[in-house]
């Protein structure tokens, strides 16, 4: 018999410690509901389940994003539905005005109502927003001021130009302002374009188009010039850079036919009827010095067509990873883009032309509503797919991470019993050495 080491008691104490620890873990799982409460519980399982967790949460948010997209679409579609009703009324009025049983006073009354309807279309376009985002118009990155430009431009706008001869001139023309273009939104210029030309008696144009290239190109057809500005050029990051690029492209062709045969005492560029150009930071001044009636200072007028930003693409994040998006094209829908402003119904011929323009506008609105409807259907299917993916991924994550409560209860009972048995055994092991005391009696 020995008293220094009670091996039976040591073994009992060790087993009690093991069972107590296992009981504590089972109790923790029962309390938390998770099989894995720390990385040590299942290192591989923890890594897999955390990956599934970010996917599940991302997909849930993507489903919410798609719902928000549907709400935005429904906002726009509701406004377009009202525009359809307005256009149908406008068509009724134009059809009525086309009838020669109407007097001039009758047609004036009809014209007044049509004018109010045009204003109402523009009001709907300007005020329809979702979360403060316009859904039927785009905030243009380019401001254009000049004669005969199609967007709110004074017909008597003058631009101040100081050509190389040092003599300043206030001339009729167009100022194209790129000051709102910055590194944050310059990519929105890609795919957009505008054209300048004279008001009458000429067919020369100066066309600007913005591409996703990293270089710019310029081509000449007759006495017209077509410039493509590569937005991804590392030297272009704002409106001033764009203006400098346009000026360089235009100046590079001054020595080539047919432009090398032209001379101009007023401007540093002479290209067809768009023959005066000057830059002022992010502003590009363009004007004409030949053709047409003798305007002030002998200058001609310019008009600017195909203004940019008639549509813009929003990206709806409908997945849990980068690039999993659905594009949503917002178009500018107003009386101008629909081609129903201006309209005249002062006689049968003009009223007939107005009827055709209105019917084309109805088709344009129908086309965009069809696009929105198809996009909404796509988003609804996306939501169904996302929710299905979340459900199945959640089930897989649960099998890895969640505790089997019945099994943990059985384990808890087992370890509790083993702990009690171990305690009883330890008591007996401790009492076994008491026989040594009898030897000392």
């Amino acid at each position: 018999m020995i008293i220094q080491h009670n091996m039976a008691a040591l073994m009992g104490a060790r087993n009690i410690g093991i069972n107590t620890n296992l009981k504590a873990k089972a109790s923790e799982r029962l309390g938390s509901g998770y099989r894995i409460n720390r990385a040590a519980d299942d290192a591989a399982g923890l890594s897999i389940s955390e990956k599934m967790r970010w996917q599940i949460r991302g997909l849930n948010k993507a489903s919410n994003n798609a719902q928000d997209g549907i709400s935005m679409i429904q906002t726009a579609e509701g406004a377009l539905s009202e525009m359809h009703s307005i256009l149908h009324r406008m068509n009724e009025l134009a059809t009525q005005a086309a009838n020669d049983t109407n007097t001039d006073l009758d047609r004036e009354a009809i014209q007044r109502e049509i004018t109010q309807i045009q204003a109402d279309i523009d009001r709907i376009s300007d005020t329809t927003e979702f979360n403060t985002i316009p859904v039927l118009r785009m905030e243009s990155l380019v401001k254009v001021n000049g004669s005969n430009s199609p967007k709110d431009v004074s017909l008597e706008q003058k631009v101040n130009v100081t050509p190389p001869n040092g003599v300043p001139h206030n001339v009729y023309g167009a100022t194209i302002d790129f000051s709102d273009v910055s590194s944050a939104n310059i990519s929105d210029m890609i795919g957009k374009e505008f054209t300048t030309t004279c008001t009458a008696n000429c067919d020369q144009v100066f066309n600007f188009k913005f591409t996703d290239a990293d270089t710019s190109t310029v081509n000449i057809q007759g006495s017209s010039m077509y410039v493509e500005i590569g937005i991804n050029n590392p030297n272009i990051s704002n409106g001033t850079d764009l203006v400098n690029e346009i000026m360089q492209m235009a100046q590079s062709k001054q020595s080539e036919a047919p432009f090398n045969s032209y001379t101009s005492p007023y401007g540093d560029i002479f290209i067809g009827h768009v023959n005066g150009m000057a830059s002022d930071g992010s502003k590009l001044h363009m004007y004409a010095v030949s053709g047409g009636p003798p305007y002030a200072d002998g200058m001609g007028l310019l008009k600017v067509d195909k203004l940019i930003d008639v549509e813009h693409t929003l990206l709806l994040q409908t997945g849990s990873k980068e690039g999993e998006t659905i594009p949503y094209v917002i178009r500018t829908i107003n009386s101008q883009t629909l081609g129903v402003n201006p309209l005249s119904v002062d006689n049968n011929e003009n009223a007939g032309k107005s009827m055709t323009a209105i019917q084309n506008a109805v088709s344009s609105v129908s086309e965009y509503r069809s696009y929105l409807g198809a996009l909404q259907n796509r988003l609804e299917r996306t939501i169904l797919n996302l929710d299905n993916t979340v459900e199945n991924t959640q089930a897989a994550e649960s099998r890895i991470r969640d505790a089997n409560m019945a099994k943990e209860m059985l384990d808890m009972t087992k370890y509790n019993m083993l702990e009690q048995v171990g305690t009883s055994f330890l008591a007996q092991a401790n009492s076994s050495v008491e026989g040594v005391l009898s030897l000392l009696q």
Side-chain angles (χ1 to χ4, degrees), residues 1 58 88 134-136 182 191 257 266 271 273-274 280 308 356 365 369 371 381 384 399 412 426:
M1 301 180 67
H88 291 321
V135 293
L136 292 178
S182 66
Y266 301 106
I271 300 172
H273 281 266
V274 185
D280 177 15
I308 70 171
T356 299
V365 174
R369 287 185 70 183
Y371 163 76
R381 289 190 293 269
L384 292 175
R399 286 190 292 271
M412 177 73 172
L426 179 60

Side-chain angles (χ1 to χ4, degrees), residues 2-11 426 429-433:
I2 61 175
I3 62 172
Q4 290 291 346
H5 297 90
N6 188 340
M7 300 307 299
L10 288 174
M11 181 180 67
L426 179 60
N430 286 332
S431 65
S432 66
V433 297

Side-chain angles (χ1 to χ4, degrees), residues 181 183 186 216 229-239 241-242 245:
V181 178
S183 58
I186 193 169
S216 301
I229 306 299
I231 295 299
N232 288 328
N233 184 332
N235 296 322
I236 299 178
S237 61
N238 53 47
D241 295 339
L242 282 178
E245 187 77 0

Side-chain angles (χ1 to χ4, degrees), residues 55-56 59-60 385-395:
Q55 183 181 16
I56 290 166
L59 291 175
N60 279 326
N385 182 61
L386 288 171
D387 292 346
N388 176 67
T389 303
V390 167
E391 179 181 347
N392 288 285
T393 306
Q394 186 70 74

Side-chain angles (χ1 to χ4, degrees), residues 197-205 272-274 288 290-292 301-303:
T197 184
C198 58
T199 56
N201 304 321
C202 70
D203 57 4
Q204 296 95 335
V205 298
H273 281 266
V274 185
S290 62
L301 294 179
L302 292 182
K303 62 181 178 181

Side-chain angles (χ1 to χ4, degrees), residues 276-426:
M277 288 183 66
S279 62
D280 177 15
S282 61
K283 295 180 180 180
L284 181 69
H285 299 306
M286 307 186 71
Y287 51 93
V289 298
S290 62
Y295 296 104
D297 291 337
M299 302 300 159
L301 294 179
L302 292 182
K303 62 181 178 181
V304 179
D305 299 314
K306 297 182 182 177
L307 281 176
I308 70 171
D309 288 340
V310 294
E311 66 178 37
H312 180 61
T313 300
L314 299 181
L315 295 178
L316 305 178
Q317 184 68 35
T318 55
S320 59
K321 297 179 182 178
E322 179 184 2
E324 293 182 345
T325 59
I326 292 179
Y328 169 27
V329 176
I330 293 180
R331 295 180 184 172
T332 299
I333 306 292
N334 55 31
S335 62
Q336 184 180 356
T337 60
L338 290 176
V340 293
N341 190 7
L343 291 179
S344 174
V345 292
D346 58 351
N347 56 50
N348 173 270
E349 180 181 0
N350 288 336
K353 291 179 180 178
S354 296
M355 290 166 59
T356 299
I358 295 167
Q359 289 156 14
N360 290 336
V362 170
S363 297
S364 296
V365 174
S366 297
E367 178 187 358
Y368 190 47
R369 287 185 70 183
S370 296
Y371 163 76
L372 293 178
L375 181 59
Q376 179 174 334
N377 289 336
R378 183 180 179 186
L379 289 173
E380 289 174 350
R381 289 190 293 269
T382 298
I383 292 171
L384 292 175
N385 182 61
L386 288 171
D387 292 346
N388 176 67
T389 303
V390 167
E391 179 181 347
N392 288 285
T393 306
Q394 186 70 74
E397 195 270 342
S398 175
R399 286 190 292 271
I400 296 173
R401 197 74 173 254
D402 293 347
N404 184 329
M405 301 301 285
K407 178 179 180 299
E408 297 302 332
M409 185 63 72
L410 288 173
D411 288 344
M412 177 73 172
T413 302
K414 179 180 71 173
Y415 297 135
N416 188 45
M417 293 179 63
L418 289 172
E419 184 182 36
Q420 293 179 27
V421 170
T423 302
S424 177
F425 175 78
L426 179 60

Side-chain angles (χ1 to χ4, degrees), residues 20 45 50 58 92 113 115 151 176 253 301 318-319 368 370 379 390 422:
T20 300
E50 288 296 337
E92 282 182 347
E113 184 173 351
T115 300
K151 281 193 177 181
I176 305 170
K253 292 297 178 181
L301 294 179
T318 55
Y368 190 47
S370 296
L379 289 173
V390 167

